[in-house]
C-alpha cells in the first residue's frame, strides 16, 4: 500500500470496522471472525475508545464507557467480596472478581480462559479520563463505577493475576502495575480520589518509578512490549526517565524486527510469536515522544509496515507470521482455533491513533 488514496481508504475502513462491530449496547466485539474473540474486553475496548475520541466520535466512545460501567455496577457485590478477600490475603473467588472478557450482554465469558486480570479495569479508568479530557461527559453511573474500580484496584494491587496477554496468572506483572497506576491517577484527575486510592497510587509509584529497568515481573529477566504503554499512552513516567530509556532500548534491541514489526516477548509461542501491529504503534508513539534524531522516520516506517499487513479487504491482523520467533508453533494453534485473528479491532484502533499522532488524515 503506497498511495495516499490507499492509505485514506485503510483509515476509513479502520473506523468502519470499529463502528460496525460495536453493538447497540456499546460493547466492541474484539475479533468478530476469530473463534475465541467474539467477546468484549475492558482492555481492547478502552484502547478502541481512545481511538474514537481522537477521531471525534465521542458518542460511540461514550457508549462503550456506559457499557463498561453497567458491567462493573452489576458486579458490585462480588467486587466488594473480592476486596474483603484481598484484605485477608486471598485471591478472590472466580464469581467475584471482574473478568477480562464478557459477552456483549455483560455476562462473564466461558471459564475455559484465564479470567482474573487487573490491568483491564485500570486501563478503563485511564480511558474514561481520556474521554473526559477529549470533551466527553462522565455520567453519574460511570462515576460510581469508577469509584468502585478505584477501591477494588487499591485493595487488589499486589494480588497475582494474569497479565495483559492473559498469561502467567501466578505473578504480579509490571505492565499491570502500570495500568493500575494510570487508572488511579485518572481517579484523581476525575475528582474521585479517596484516601485508599491515594495511598495505593503512592505505593505503585514507589514500585515502578526510579528502577533501573522494567521487566515482565519482579525477578524476571525478560522484557515485554506491553511495558511501552506505561510511557505512552498512560504517561506514568516521562520517556526520558532512566527506567523508560533503558526499557525502550531493550525492546528496540530484543523485540523489534528490521522491518518495523514488534513482538510481545522473546519466549512468545502463541501463533508462533509473530509481530503485532498494535505493538509497532506502541513503540512508534514512544519514539514520537522521545523525538530523538530519526524517531519520526521510524514511526512512519512502523505505519508503512502496518499498512503492508492489511489484506485485500483492508483488514488488519492481530499478528503476522512473518519473522515469527517460533514458527514451528504456528500449526498447533491454527489446528486448535483456526487462523490468527483478522480483523482485530484493537489493531485498527491503534492504526488510527498513530495516523493522528503523525498528523495524517483521519476519517
Amino acid at each position: 500500500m503506497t498511495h495516499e488514496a490507499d492509505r485514506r481508504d485503510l483509515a476509513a475502513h479502520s473506523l468502519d470496522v470499529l463502528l460496525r462491530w460495536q453493538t447497540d449496547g456499546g460493547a466492541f466485539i474484539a475479533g468478530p471472525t476469530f473463534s475465541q474473540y467474539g467477546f468484549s474486553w475492558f482492555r481492547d475496548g478502552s484502547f478502541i475508545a481512545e481511538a474514537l475520541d481522537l477521531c471525534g466520535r465521542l458518542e460511540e466512545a461514550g457508549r462503550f464507557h456506559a457499557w463498561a460501567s453497567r458491567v462493573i455496577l452489576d458486579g458490585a457485590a462480588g467486587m466488594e467480596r473480592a476486596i474483603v478477600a484481598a484484605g485477608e490475603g486471598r485471591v478472590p473467588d472466580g464469581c467475584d472478581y471482574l473478568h477480562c472478557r464478557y459477552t456483549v450482554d455483560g455476562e462473564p465469558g466461558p471459564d475455559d480462559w484465564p479470567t482474573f486480570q487487573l490491568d483491564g479495569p485500570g486501563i478503563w479508568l485511564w480511558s474514561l479520563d481520556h474521554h473526559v479530557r477529549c470533551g466527553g461527559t462522565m455520567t453519574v453511573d460511570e462515576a460510581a463505577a469508577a469509584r468502585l474500580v478505584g477501591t477494588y484496584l487499591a485493595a487488589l494491587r499486589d494480588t497475582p493475576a494474569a497479565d495483559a496477554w492473559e498469561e502467567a496468572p501466578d505473578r504480579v506483572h509490571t505492565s499491570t502495575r502500570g495500568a493500575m497506576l494510570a487508572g488511579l491517577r485518572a481517579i484523581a484527575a476525575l475528582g474521585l480520589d479517596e484516601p485508599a486510592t491515594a495511598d495505593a497510587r503512592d505505593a505503585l509509584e514507589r514500585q515502578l518509578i526510579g528502577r533501573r529497568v522494567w521487566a515482565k515481573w519482579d525477578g524476571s529477566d525478560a522484557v515485554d512490549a506491553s511495558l511501552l504503554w506505561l510511557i505512552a499512552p498512560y504517561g506514568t513516567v516521562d520517556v526520558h526517565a532512566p527506567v523508560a530509556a533503558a526499557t525502550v532500548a531493550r525492546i528496540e534491541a530484543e523485540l523489534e524486527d528490521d522491518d518495523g514489526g514488534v513482538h510481545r516477548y522473546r519466549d512468545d509461542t502463541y501463533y508462533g510469536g509473530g509481530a503485532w501491529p498494535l505493538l509497532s504503534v506502541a513503540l512508534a508513539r514512544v519514539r514520537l515522544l522521545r523525538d530523538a534524531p530519526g524517531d519520526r522516520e521510524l514511526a512512519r516506517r512502523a505505519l508503512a509496515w502496518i499498512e503492508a499487513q492489511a489484506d485485500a479487504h483492508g483488514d488488519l491482523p492481530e499478528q503476522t507470521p512473518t519473522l515469527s520467533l517460533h514458527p514451528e508453533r504456528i500449526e498447533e494453534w491454527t489446528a486448535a482455533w483456526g487462523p490468527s485473528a483478522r480483523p482485530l479491532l484493537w489493531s485498527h484502533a491503534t492504526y488510527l491513533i498513530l495516523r493522528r499522532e503523525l498528523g495524517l488524515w483521519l476519517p
Side-chain angles (χ1 to χ4, degrees):
M1 183 170 294
T2 57
H3 298 96
E4 182 56 28
D6 294 330
R7 295 187 178 101
R8 284 175 174 251
D9 285 347
L10 181 55
H13 177 72
S14 292
L15 178 60
D16 179 66
V17 167
L18 304 185
L19 300 181
R20 188 190 326 156
W21 294 107
Q22 183 176 31
T23 67
D24 291 341
F28 294 105
I29 300 174
T33 65
F34 184 60
S35 63
Q36 304 300 307
Y37 291 177
F39 300 91
S40 183
W41 273 255
F42 286 118
R43 176 202 58 208
D44 296 44
S46 296
F47 286 122
I48 294 166
E50 179 197 11
L52 292 175
D53 284 334
L54 296 176
C55 289
R57 306 301 292 251
L58 297 177
E59 179 181 353
E60 290 87 351
R63 286 172 52 211
F64 167 73
H65 293 301
W67 175 85
S69 67
R70 288 194 299 272
V71 172
I72 291 161
L73 293 177
D74 286 347
M79 292 173 68
E80 295 289 354
R81 291 191 295 270
I83 291 167
V84 171
E88 296 173 349
R90 297 185 287 109
V91 174
D93 292 336
C95 59
D96 291 340
Y97 52 70
L98 287 176
H99 291 239
C100 69
R101 65 175 188 170
Y102 287 84
T103 69
V104 298
D105 295 324
E107 297 297 323
D111 58 8
D112 59 343
W113 194 270
T115 57
F116 181 37
Q117 210 171 324
L118 291 169
D119 63 329
I123 300 170
W124 175 69
L125 290 174
W126 167 84
S127 183
L128 178 63
D129 178 51
H130 180 270
H131 180 61
V132 172
R133 287 186 279 116
C134 287
T137 59
M138 178 175 64
T139 67
V140 171
D141 283 349
E142 288 161 6
R147 284 185 186 275
L148 178 57
V149 170
T151 303
Y152 174 84
L153 293 180
L156 275 70
R157 67 181 185 275
D158 292 322
T159 305
D163 66 1
W165 314 123
E166 284 101 47
E167 296 175 348
D170 59 336
R171 302 287 184 175
V172 178
H173 297 271
T174 307
S175 63
T176 298
R177 281 177 166 155
M180 290 190 290
L181 175 56
L184 294 179
R185 285 182 174 177
I187 285 286
L190 292 168
L192 303 173
D193 216 6
E194 297 179 354
T197 52
D199 290 346
R201 185 171 58 252
D202 291 344
L204 286 166
E205 287 178 348
R206 290 192 298 271
Q207 290 169 331
L208 288 172
I209 298 173
R211 293 194 173 197
R212 184 182 60 83
V213 67
W214 289 320
K216 285 176 72 71
W217 57 74
D218 290 349
S220 171
D221 292 328
V223 70
D224 192 297
S226 65
L227 295 168
L228 293 164
W229 303 331
L230 277 66
I231 307 165
Y234 306 156
T236 56
V237 66
D238 185 86
V239 67
H240 300 292
V243 66
T247 303
V248 173
R250 282 198 63 189
I251 290 170
E252 290 173 321
E254 300 178 30
L255 301 179
E256 184 182 22
D257 295 328
D258 290 341
D259 61 4
V262 177
H263 303 265
R264 298 195 299 174
Y265 55 93
R266 292 299 304 175
D267 290 337
D268 183 14
T269 60
Y270 180 61
Y271 279 91
W276 290 49
L278 65 92
L279 293 176
S280 292
V281 171
L283 181 55
R285 296 183 76 176
V286 167
R287 283 171 165 158
L288 289 171
L289 282 178
R290 185 174 63 184
D291 199 24
D295 274 347
R296 191 167 190 85
E297 289 74 17
L298 289 172
R300 286 184 172 275
R301 183 191 69 171
L303 188 78
W305 178 81
I306 293 164
E307 290 168 344
Q309 309 315 309
D311 65 14
H313 304 289
D315 290 337
L316 292 172
E318 177 182 64
Q319 60 175 287
T320 173
T322 307
L323 301 179
S324 293
L325 298 173
H326 301 279
E328 73 281 0
R329 302 296 296 274
I330 295 175
E331 178 55 36
E332 68 183 83
W333 289 102
T334 304
W337 289 349
S340 180
R342 181 195 293 267
L344 186 76
L345 269 66
W346 190 4
S347 295
H348 284 279
T350 57
Y351 172 68
L352 290 171
I353 291 168
L354 182 54
R355 286 187 62 90
R356 194 258 189 185
E357 297 208 347
L358 285 167
L360 302 175
W361 178 86
L362 287 175

